[in-house]
Amino acid sequence: MQRTVATSGAAVMRSISLSGAGFLGAYHVGAVAALQRANYLPDYSNTSTGQGSETSSRADNQPPPMFLGSSAGSLVSAGIVTGQPIDEIMAICHELSAQSREQV
């Protein structure tokens, strides 16, 4: 089920901004995954270019959302737009967390 936003016909630039969250960056991954499952966001992992299948054939002719972030949010954003699978990004978050705990 594709959700659309009613507009006056003009292209609407949407963006997702992920904050700096340290080890809570995994929550960003979960939030993006939920938005993709609900068809609010394209799945960028569908192609090797990181542009996903929805970006070239969007029914509403809207540009794909921009992903912005700071600190942990920027790392998650970079992973999303470069086409890394959500599961892989989450695995990296878990690995970094485990490695950090070993250093304490």
Side-chain angles (χ1 to χ4, degrees):
M1 167 171 75
Q2 178 67 36
R3 291 183 168 78
T4 59
V5 177
T7 65
S8 62
V12 176
M13 180 57 71
R14 295 176 292 165
S15 65
I16 303 296
S17 181
L18 304 176
S19 66
F23 291 110
L24 299 179
Y27 288 100
H28 293 322
V29 180
V32 170
L35 290 170
Q36 287 176 340
R37 279 194 302 273
N39 290 321
Y40 283 108
L41 293 176
D43 182 355
Y44 286 86
S45 66
N46 287 341
T47 69
S48 61
T49 62
Q51 293 302 303
S53 63
E54 292 187 39
T55 59
S56 60
S57 62
R58 291 179 55 88
D60 58 2
N61 293 320
Q62 300 298 318
M66 294 187 309
F67 279 82
L68 311 163
S70 63
S71 190
S74 66
L75 297 174
V76 173
S77 292
I80 300 290
V81 299
T82 58
Q84 303 303 312
I86 292 287
D87 293 340
E88 187 173 321
I89 297 171
M90 184 59 79
I92 292 169
C93 288
H94 285 233
E95 169 107 13
L96 288 172
S97 178
Q99 288 177 3
S100 295
R101 276 188 244 128
E102 291 174 1
Q103 300 299 317
V104 176

